[in-house]
Amino acid sequence: MHKQDTTPQLNRTMKSRHLMMLSLGGVIGTGLFLNVGYTINQAGPGGAIIGYLIGGFILYMVMTCLGELAVHMPVTGSFQTYATKFIHPTAGFSLGWMYFVGSAATAGVEFTAAGILMKHWFPDMPTWIWCAIFIVLLFSLNALSTRGFAEAEFWFAGIKVLAVVFFIIVGAAAIFGIVPMADRVAPHLTNLEPTLLFPAGIIIIFVTMMNVIFSYQGSELVGIAAGETENPQKTIPKAIRTILVRIIVFYIASIVILSAIFPSSELGLLESPFVTLLELVGIPYAADIMNFIILTAILSVGNSCLYASTRLLWAMSLEDMAPKIFSKTSKRNIPLNALLFTMVFSLLSLLTSVMKADAVFVLLMSIAGISVTISWMGIALSQFMFRRKYVKSGGRLEDLQYRVKWYPFIPLVCITFCSAILIFLLWDETQRAGVLYGIGFLLLCIVFYSIKLKRQKREAVQVPEVNEDL
């Protein structure tokens, strides 16, 4: 089961701190700074808290399943390779392309969000122009060495973490009147009264779960980057333990702060509530500084998505699941052709030239959320099948350096939760089309690769017959 010994791998230049901050930074971006306010607006404070707690539980199950696989078999490409090996090659092909499309679409979301935020300083400049500028910027950063990319992400993520901590402290002080706000008295916890927690009911929680899944997307970078990480047997478990706690704490604390200060009806999409709060508090230039930090955070997430998509496409090309041209690397050992192809999907953000920016944002977010939900199901199923095959082949659980507790409960519950989310979305008119397109694309991948495998088997059988006749 040690495929990494024979499969080409990229340079192992990432250290533990790089891996931890890469995955943490991949989650702290649009999902936190913009999407949390949208979720509170839709589901209310109570619904948002419950939704993100459920999402956190799903994230825990996915990360532990991925951790067992990545520690045992640390390869670039991660769960696509695991699905190929432990489920079926068709599953690996389908999940790989699903995640690629979702991750590349997420990069488009980040470019769109960045363009929206630039309205703060340049209200008259079209959003699509900023999208194009940021696409060129992040392409240049991804074309550098992996070590340089990881180092840049380490510091970007560190800035984001400090910004969130600062916001939580200032927000808590504003809630209780320690820091006065410009146009309102200290709300204390009046906005969190039981009658205001679920203004749209309970069912809406399940409908907004796609927003939650989208927000948590990026954590799985731990697995994708395993093939470029030093000493993955030690760094991956450590990264998983710290990431889970920090992500959930940051999201839940931010939701409580925002919900206590703003009624849910005030929280929208185009204006970041983080910036709005600092403007109310009246800290000199704080809103501009926070807006710049949010912009940096969003671009950082887009950068991480480009990295993940590129590495996944490179890994699939090695297994004949993508054109061989994507397996070629530059002198710096960067899969440059795969990066160029990934950037094409990010051009979806340029739709803001012909569509409203908020409409493009929601569209791309839905595509990305559905893709990652299906990918998370694939990770859980891969771990379930791996453990069965491992034990059946005589492997000892004691020899696994990191393993899922409460097997098979964890992977099966994870699959069930993700399936339930997709089913509930079918009842939401705004996201039904996205679900159907996502499932349709998955089925198309399955059918396409199944036909390809059958053709390869026929050709393999025919070759010996021709040789015998000769």
Side-chain angles (χ1 to χ4, degrees):
M1 293 186 181
H2 297 280
K3 189 171 184 176
Q4 71 273 24
D5 295 334
T6 58
T7 301
Q9 291 298 313
L10 304 177
N11 297 337
R12 292 187 182 275
T13 56
M14 287 195 194
K15 298 184 181 297
S16 176
R17 63 185 181 90
H18 293 142
L19 185 64
M20 183 183 70
M21 296 304 281
L22 176 63
S23 296
L24 186 61
V27 178
I28 300 177
T30 305
L32 178 61
F33 293 121
L34 289 179
N35 203 39
V36 160
Y38 178 77
T39 305
I40 297 172
N41 177 268
Q42 296 294 306
I49 291 173
I50 292 176
Y52 277 91
L53 284 175
I54 293 175
F57 178 58
I58 297 174
L59 178 62
Y60 164 76
M61 293 187 289
V62 171
M63 292 295 285
T64 53
C65 288
L66 182 58
E68 178 173 306
L69 293 165
V71 170
H72 181 76
M73 188 178 173
V75 294
T76 301
S78 174
F79 50 84
Q80 174 270 333
T81 301
Y82 307 143
T84 299
K85 187 175 183 66
F86 303 120
I87 303 175
H88 192 273
T90 300
F93 175 86
S94 303
L95 290 175
W97 279 106
M98 280 293 296
Y99 189 84
F100 171 81
V101 171
S103 185
T106 300
V109 172
E110 306 305 325
F111 294 139
T112 304
I116 291 172
L117 281 179
M118 291 304 293
K119 291 286 187 181
H120 179 81
W121 294 293
F122 304 95
D124 297 327
M125 186 173 290
T127 302
W128 72 268
I129 294 180
W130 287 113
C131 293
I133 292 173
F134 293 137
I135 286 173
V136 174
L137 175 65
L138 292 195
F139 171 81
S140 301
L141 184 56
N142 267 268
L144 297 174
S145 66
T146 301
R147 179 65 180 269
F149 161 81
E151 196 67 38
E153 280 301 299
F154 173 82
W155 291 106
F156 283 148
I159 293 172
K160 289 188 284 187
V161 170
L162 291 176
V164 174
V165 172
F166 173 74
F167 169 81
I168 291 173
I169 293 173
V170 172
I175 289 173
F176 297 102
I178 300 174
V179 175
M181 290 183 288
D183 66 347
R184 65 190 72 193
V185 297
H188 294 275
L189 300 178
T190 55
N191 288 332
L192 297 177
E193 294 178 354
T195 55
L196 302 176
L197 292 180
F198 304 97
I202 299 294
I203 299 298
I204 191 67
I205 296 175
F206 299 98
V207 175
T208 58
M209 281 303 298
M210 192 51 60
N211 302 335
V212 176
I213 299 297
F214 168 80
S215 298
Y216 285 152
Q217 179 184 5
S219 304
E220 62 281 347
L221 279 172
V222 167
I224 292 177
E228 296 178 86
T229 304
E230 294 180 355
N231 198 2
Q233 287 73 21
K234 291 184 178 180
T235 56
I236 292 175
K238 181 180 179 181
I240 288 176
R241 287 193 298 269
T242 55
I243 290 166
L244 284 170
V245 174
R246 295 182 187 186
I247 289 174
I248 295 173
V249 168
F250 285 158
Y251 271 89
I252 298 302
S254 297
I255 291 172
V256 171
I257 295 294
L258 292 174
S259 299
I261 294 176
F262 302 103
S264 57
S265 58
E266 289 187 21
L267 296 172
L269 174 66
L270 294 183
E271 182 69 27
S272 171
F274 288 74
V275 175
T276 303
L277 173 60
L278 294 181
E279 288 177 337
L280 291 176
V281 170
I283 299 176
Y285 304 107
D288 283 330
I289 294 172
M290 192 68 188
N291 214 53
F292 177 76
I293 291 173
I294 294 173
L295 177 64
T296 303
I298 288 172
L299 293 178
S300 176
V301 174
N303 206 23
S304 298
C305 288
L306 291 179
Y307 169 85
S309 301
T310 300
R311 267 51 180 186
L312 191 60
L313 188 58
W314 174 83
M316 286 192 294
S317 69
L318 294 178
E319 299 184 19
D320 198 27
M321 294 182 177
K324 287 296 183 182
I325 191 175
F326 298 136
S327 64
K328 294 183 179 180
T329 57
S330 66
K331 293 181 180 179
R332 297 179 177 180
N333 211 21
I334 300 296
L336 198 57
N337 290 335
L339 175 60
L340 286 167
F341 185 74
T342 301
M343 296 301 295
V344 172
F345 280 83
S346 299
L347 295 178
L348 289 172
S349 62
L350 298 183
L351 287 172
T352 52
S353 62
V354 295
M355 295 174 59
K356 291 184 178 179
D358 56 338
V360 175
F361 181 92
V362 174
L363 171 65
L364 295 180
M365 184 183 67
S366 178
I367 294 172
I370 291 166
S371 297
V372 79
T373 301
I374 295 175
S375 297
W376 283 6
M377 293 170 65
I379 291 172
L381 182 58
S382 295
Q383 187 276 329
F384 176 80
M385 298 299 294
F386 159 72
R387 181 73 73 85
R388 288 183 59 184
K389 293 182 178 180
Y390 179 79
V391 173
K392 188 176 181 180
S393 64
R396 298 191 310 164
L397 296 182
E398 295 78 12
D399 294 335
L400 293 175
Q401 298 184 44
Y402 183 90
R403 62 178 182 266
V404 174
K405 297 179 180 178
W406 307 304
Y407 175 89
F409 174 79
I410 290 295
L412 293 178
V413 171
C414 181
I415 294 171
T416 302
F417 267 67
C418 291
S419 300
I421 291 173
L422 294 177
I423 292 173
F424 270 104
L425 288 180
L426 292 174
W427 299 95
D428 180 20
E429 293 183 358
T430 61
Q431 300 193 66
R432 184 182 302 146
V435 176
L436 293 177
Y437 286 139
I439 294 175
F441 179 73
L442 178 65
L443 294 176
L444 183 64
C445 288
I446 293 173
V447 171
F448 171 81
Y449 203 69
S450 297
I451 295 174
K452 181 177 180 179
L453 286 179
K454 289 181 179 179
R455 183 182 303 136
Q456 289 176 343
K457 289 181 179 179
R458 286 198 303 267
E459 292 174 353
V461 171
Q462 291 172 358
V463 170
E465 293 178 356
V466 174
N467 291 334
E468 289 177 3
D469 292 339
L470 293 174

